[in-house]
Amino acid sequence: MRSIWNGAISFGLVSIPIKLVNATESHSISFRQIHVNDGGRVRYRKVCELDGEEVPSAEIGKGYEEADGSIVPITDEDLAQLPLATAKTIEIMSFVPAEEIDPLQMDAAYYLAANGATAAKPYTLLREALKRSRKVAIAKYALRGRERLGMLRVVDDVIAMHGLLWPDEIRAPEGVAPDADVTVRDAELDLADALMATLGEVEMASLHDDYREAVEALIVAKSGGAFEPTEAVVEPAGGQVIDLMAALERSVRAAKASRGEADGEREGEAGGEGAAEAEVTPIRRKARTGATRAGTGAAAPKAVGGKKSTAASAKKAAASAATKKKTTTAGGKSATGKSTSRTAKTTAKSTAKSTAKTAAAKKTGSGAAASAKKTAAPRKRTSA
């Protein structure tokens, strides 16, 4: 890798010659500006405002513009003569725990390579000291015309340096937090913890830029003339969260499903996804009899002969009694004589008693069978 800066690390009285190498690279796709009508490239030309002529890069310097618009020229020689100790040195000032560094301060990252055989021993000494202390080094260095702040740490067997923003370059988060007074319940925190545990960890090496790959495929397709535009499928953005608990529960279930895990509420149930959406409708049971409600444990047997059967039997008995009475009256003086008269009286009395019992049976629902037997007995004697 090509170095972008040569200097030394100042570690107390120890000087370690190093080379600065970029630790990161950009894979973003760059586009050129073109004229839409004819596809011609649009270029920026550096033109002098005084004479209107284009200026080559070799004749371009730097200057500072004052408030009145005048320019103060500044040359590289002027900057090199500044009494700056960090012009060619990464000066270590202190060692602090890594957690004391705010990630907001992180900037560009570099690898520090030992420059020459003589730098191997002190380089290794600093690396091992950082490993054993589990701390990072805070240093100052100058790069591209300005002094910067850096953090040195160990990555594998290499010392890496992260450029840090100066503390006054970090904005305070004023007016960013929600103004409303919000209370979060323990149940909501528990669901949030469950969602975090379900999502788990990710292999950073497996992450990649899907958008860049899509742009590359688009360029290949258009250059080959086989490009067919398709409408992008964009999922609708989430609206206002009405029920946070329900949203968290659905998120946990969706995360488990994406990871191939079974939902705890659905373990052991059949039906897959459809089972999760099914609703259970309770079966209405028939009303139990008084014996069951009383705790006997078994339903009472169904009464024989309902109200309709009892009423029909009573009507038939009354009609039979009336018919027998007429028959007995008409033939009372015939061959039957006194015996028939007594039988008629007995039958009338029995019929009256049976009718009374039948009326009572309408309310109680029992005794109909006994009444029918008593009614039938006199009728058998009359027929004889």
Side-chain angles (χ1 to χ4, degrees):
M1 290 184 286
R2 186 175 62 88
S3 63
I4 61 174
W5 183 87
N6 292 338
I9 299 175
S10 177
F11 178 33
L13 297 178
V14 178
S15 181
I16 310 171
I18 55 97
K19 295 185 296 184
L20 196 66
V21 179
N22 278 323
T24 61
E25 58 185 2
S26 176
H27 290 166
S28 60
I29 299 174
S30 299
F31 296 101
R32 301 294 186 183
Q33 289 186 331
I34 62 172
H35 188 195
V36 176
N37 294 338
D38 55 15
R41 174 131 175 230
V42 177
R43 298 177 181 270
Y44 288 101
R45 299 181 184 273
K46 297 179 180 180
V47 178
C48 178
E49 292 182 351
L50 297 179
D51 55 19
E53 296 181 359
E54 185 176 354
V55 180
S57 298
E59 298 180 7
I60 297 177
K62 59 175 68 73
Y64 177 79
E65 184 178 1
E66 293 186 326
D68 58 358
S70 61
I71 302 295
V72 178
I74 302 294
T75 64
D76 293 338
E77 289 77 11
D78 295 335
L79 296 175
Q81 294 175 2
L82 292 176
L84 185 62
T86 58
K88 284 292 182 179
T89 305
I90 299 175
E91 183 179 358
I92 295 177
M93 299 180 296
S94 64
F95 295 86
V96 299
E99 55 269 18
E100 291 188 9
I101 305 301
D102 191 344
L104 285 174
Q105 289 186 257
M106 295 290 186
D107 201 359
Y110 308 95
Y111 289 136
L112 304 181
N115 191 5
T118 58
K121 182 64 178 285
Y123 183 95
T124 305
L125 173 63
L126 176 59
R127 183 190 66 194
E128 296 304 318
L130 288 171
K131 280 185 179 180
R132 190 167 69 172
S133 67
R134 297 183 180 179
K135 292 183 178 181
V136 296
I138 302 300
K140 286 183 178 181
Y141 66 100
L143 182 65
R144 298 188 179 95
R146 59 182 292 242
E147 189 175 47
R148 303 169 187 265
L149 193 63
M151 179 190 74
L152 277 64
R153 69 185 184 96
V154 178
V155 177
D156 295 334
D157 290 332
V158 176
I159 299 176
M161 182 175 68
H162 295 268
L164 299 179
L165 299 175
W166 295 100
D168 59 357
E169 293 179 322
I170 305 297
R171 291 182 175 180
E174 297 178 357
V176 179
D179 295 334
D181 186 11
V182 179
T183 302
V184 179
R185 296 177 294 171
D186 290 340
E188 295 170 338
L189 284 175
D190 293 340
L191 277 174
D193 291 341
L195 178 57
M196 293 168 62
T198 303
L199 292 176
E201 300 178 355
V202 64
E203 292 291 338
M204 297 299 293
S206 65
L207 301 178
H208 59 278
D209 189 349
D210 294 328
Y211 181 77
R212 178 176 60 85
E213 294 179 356
V215 172
E216 290 175 349
L218 169 65
I219 294 172
V220 172
K222 294 200 74 171
S223 62
F227 173 70
E228 294 182 2
T230 57
E231 184 177 356
V233 179
V234 180
E235 295 183 0
Q240 183 180 2
V241 178
I242 303 301
D243 191 343
L244 183 59
M245 292 288 289
L248 287 171
E249 290 173 352
R250 288 196 299 269
S251 300
V252 172
R253 288 197 295 268
K256 287 183 177 180
S258 64
R259 296 172 65 90
E261 297 178 6
D263 192 347
E265 298 178 357
R266 293 180 291 172
E267 288 181 356
E269 295 183 4
E273 183 179 355
E277 302 295 335
E279 295 182 357
V280 179
T281 303
I283 299 176
R284 295 184 178 179
R285 299 183 179 275
K286 295 182 179 180
R288 296 182 178 179
T289 58
T292 303
R293 293 174 184 172
T296 59
K302 187 176 180 180
V304 179
K307 292 182 179 180
K308 292 183 179 180
S309 300
T310 305
S313 300
K315 288 182 180 180
K316 288 181 180 180
S320 177
T323 303
K324 290 174 182 177
K325 184 176 181 181
K326 290 180 181 180
T327 304
T328 304
T329 304
K333 295 181 181 181
S334 61
T336 56
K338 294 181 180 180
S339 177
T340 305
S341 178
R342 291 193 193 100
T343 303
K345 290 180 180 180
T346 303
T347 303
K349 290 180 179 181
S350 299
T351 303
K353 291 180 179 180
S354 299
T355 303
K357 290 181 179 181
T358 302
K362 291 181 180 181
K363 297 180 180 180
T364 62
S366 61
S371 299
K373 288 182 180 179
K374 291 181 181 181
T375 305
R379 183 170 52 189
K380 183 176 181 180
R381 288 195 298 271
T382 305
S383 299

